[in-house]
Amino acid sequence: AVVSTQSGYYAGKTRSFSLGGDDINFCLLQKAGAEFLGTMFLIIFCVGSANNRALVALGSASPAYYLSISLAFGLGIGGIIHILSGTSGGHVNPAVSFALFLDRRISLIVAIVYIIAQFAGGFAGAGLLYALGNFDDIEGGIAGVNAVGVGINPGQAFFLEMFGTMFLILTILSTINEQKGHAASYLQPLSIGIAILVMHIFLIPFTNCGINPVRGSVWNIITGQASSEILIFLFAPLVGSIISVLVHNIFFVSY
């Protein structure tokens, strides 16, 4: 998610698509490092919370389990966004970077560098979590993987993930809408964190809530639980990004 409308995000200017040759500098390396670390923290702490032994003991069908995981993701990602807001803007999600490119807020090069850094950070976080978590003794096995839930089919899972991502992206675009005059503050990470919390409460029973191509793939791969369903969690959020930008600019921006 993003909270920053600083330079590089074309705030207060007529936005246009840009390749981003001028963005290739040390600051881009710094921002990529921030995205790497932020996404690594997301996997370690948020996905790791799903494997907390005290929560696992409650059982995955327990409302307390769902609520605790949802709070961990919502508050955790909100905190990560706050940490990263002064450098990269705190995307930690390729769907967010893709949406901001489509909305002409970041250049193509910045979007590509961010997405590479996010996947690299995600794999690093998943590797560390798997190496340090002692998961062999967890009753019921490793938790936190994204999959099509019982009672729904892959098509339904795709649309659920797409709509969940749309809600997230629309929240982000609203919080950085210059017309609303929001200064960078606690509002952005709070709003985005709440949106993520709500989507987890809703989507965990269906897909375990991905709404992020990194979150929806790296833990599945590292733990050896990846299947063809991983394509849902890679591409549904990107489709959600495309639709969100169109919907926001058609219905929620004054001209």
Side-chain angles (χ1 to χ4, degrees), residues 75-100:
L75 298 179
I77 294 174
I80 291 169
I81 293 168
H82 185 62
I83 293 170
L84 272 59
S85 62
T87 50
S88 69
H91 297 200
V92 296
N93 183 340
V96 173
S97 298
F98 184 49
L100 294 180

Side-chain angles (χ1 to χ4, degrees), residues 29-189:
L29 181 63
Q30 179 192 41
K31 293 175 181 180
E35 287 295 309
F36 176 94
L37 291 172
T39 314
M40 184 180 73
F41 291 153
L42 186 161
I43 300 298
I44 292 174
F45 300 125
C46 299
V47 176
S49 68
N51 291 280
N52 181 287
R53 284 158 175 76
L55 294 179
V56 170
L58 295 174
S60 59
S62 167
Y65 179 83
Y66 287 134
L67 183 58
S68 297
I69 303 306
S70 300
L71 285 168
F73 272 88
L75 298 179
I77 294 174
I80 291 169
I81 293 168
H82 185 62
I83 293 170
L84 272 59
S85 62
T87 50
S88 69
H91 297 200
V92 296
N93 183 340
V96 173
S97 298
F98 184 49
L100 294 180
F101 165 69
L102 294 177
D103 201 43
R104 297 161 295 172
R105 291 179 176 274
I106 61 174
S107 68
L108 177 62
I109 287 176
V110 170
I112 292 172
V113 170
Y114 273 29
I115 290 170
I116 292 171
Q118 289 155 5
F119 271 102
F123 276 111
L128 286 170
L129 179 60
Y130 187 66
L132 302 175
N134 296 321
F135 294 113
D136 291 339
D137 63 348
I138 293 184
E139 183 178 352
I142 298 172
V145 297
N146 289 110
V148 177
V150 177
I152 65 170
N153 60 47
Q156 291 170 316
F158 186 96
F159 278 97
L160 285 167
E161 284 290 311
M162 184 190 74
F163 283 120
T165 307
M166 286 179 61
F167 184 72
L168 170 62
I169 300 299
L170 287 170
T171 301
I172 293 169
L173 293 176
S174 178
T175 64
I176 62 173
N177 185 344
E178 296 88 349
Q179 294 179 343
K180 295 185 177 182
H182 296 320
S185 67
Y186 67 88
L187 171 66
Q188 289 86 0

